[in-house]
Amino acid sequence: MREWQSLAHVKWECKYHVVIVPKYRRKTMFGHVRKRIGKLFQQLCRQKEIGLIEGHVMPDHVHMLLSIPPKFSVAMVVGYLKGKSAIQIHREALNVKQGFTGKHFWSRGYCVSTIGLDEQMIRAYVRSQEESDRQEDLFNQ
């Protein structure tokens, strides 16, 4: 059964698979803050009432299954998540106190697709990413 959300004048179910990567896709830089990223995204999504249904932080990218209310655009949500998380990462992990202009953590782009009727398949895909990444790393060594 589908779980429809509602706002004042709308019933909706808008779910998106979003993938974002750090600048230059460096695994070493991302490894220092990997554990903090998940909690940070959960906190940021709660602030905007965005549903973080499923998520997985890989060494060089992040997969998220987001439920975004129709009052927000996908671009606004991804920009908000990337911008606020980059500031927090620079504050906590890189010890930058002010002057965030010109500081980059995330790459400029992102990948997004709508979920539609394939939600269970996408959720399984997001969950299985770490195992497939491990196998790929073993193969490339």
Side-chain angles (χ1 to χ4, degrees):
M1 184 72 193
R2 302 186 76 103
E3 295 181 25
W4 292 86
Q5 305 285 329
S6 64
L7 294 171
H9 299 283
V10 64
K11 287 251 186 215
W12 60 277
E13 183 184 43
C14 303
K15 294 180 181 169
Y16 302 90
H17 176 212
V18 178
V19 180
I20 57 176
V21 298
K23 192 85 168 170
Y24 309 118
R25 223 171 160 138
R26 292 185 180 160
K27 290 184 180 186
T28 56
M29 180 176 77
F30 196 65
H32 294 108
V33 295
R34 183 175 177 193
K35 293 182 180 172
R36 177 72 175 112
I37 296 283
K39 291 179 181 150
L40 185 57
F41 280 136
Q42 288 174 351
Q43 177 186 11
L44 291 172
C45 285
R46 257 193 313 268
Q47 288 176 1
K48 290 283 186 184
E49 298 177 353
I50 297 163
L52 181 57
I53 299 167
E54 196 82 38
H56 199 76
V57 181
M58 302 300 297
D60 63 345
H61 63 282
V62 177
H63 284 272
M64 293 180 284
L65 179 58
L66 300 175
S67 176
I68 302 174
K71 64 182 178 179
F72 299 129
S73 71
V74 176
M76 189 282 307
V77 169
V78 173
Y80 169 78
L81 292 175
K82 287 170 64 175
K84 295 295 183 182
S85 65
I87 289 172
Q88 284 299 106
I89 291 165
H90 279 96
R91 280 188 181 147
E92 295 173 6
L94 305 175
N95 295 321
V96 176
K97 302 297 179 200
Q98 60 185 4
F100 298 105
T101 305
K103 305 277 187 209
H104 300 284
F105 184 78
W106 300 108
S107 66
R108 289 180 58 190
Y110 60 94
C111 175
V112 63
S113 67
T114 56
I115 298 302
L117 300 175
D118 298 330
E119 180 179 350
Q120 294 304 322
M121 184 178 68
I122 299 296
R123 290 177 86 163
Y125 171 76
V126 170
R127 282 190 211 116
S128 70
Q129 282 300 294
E130 186 168 15
E131 183 59 35
S132 65
D133 191 55
R134 269 195 221 121
Q135 289 175 356
E136 186 177 311
D137 284 346
L138 290 173
F139 180 75
N140 291 331
Q141 290 179 353

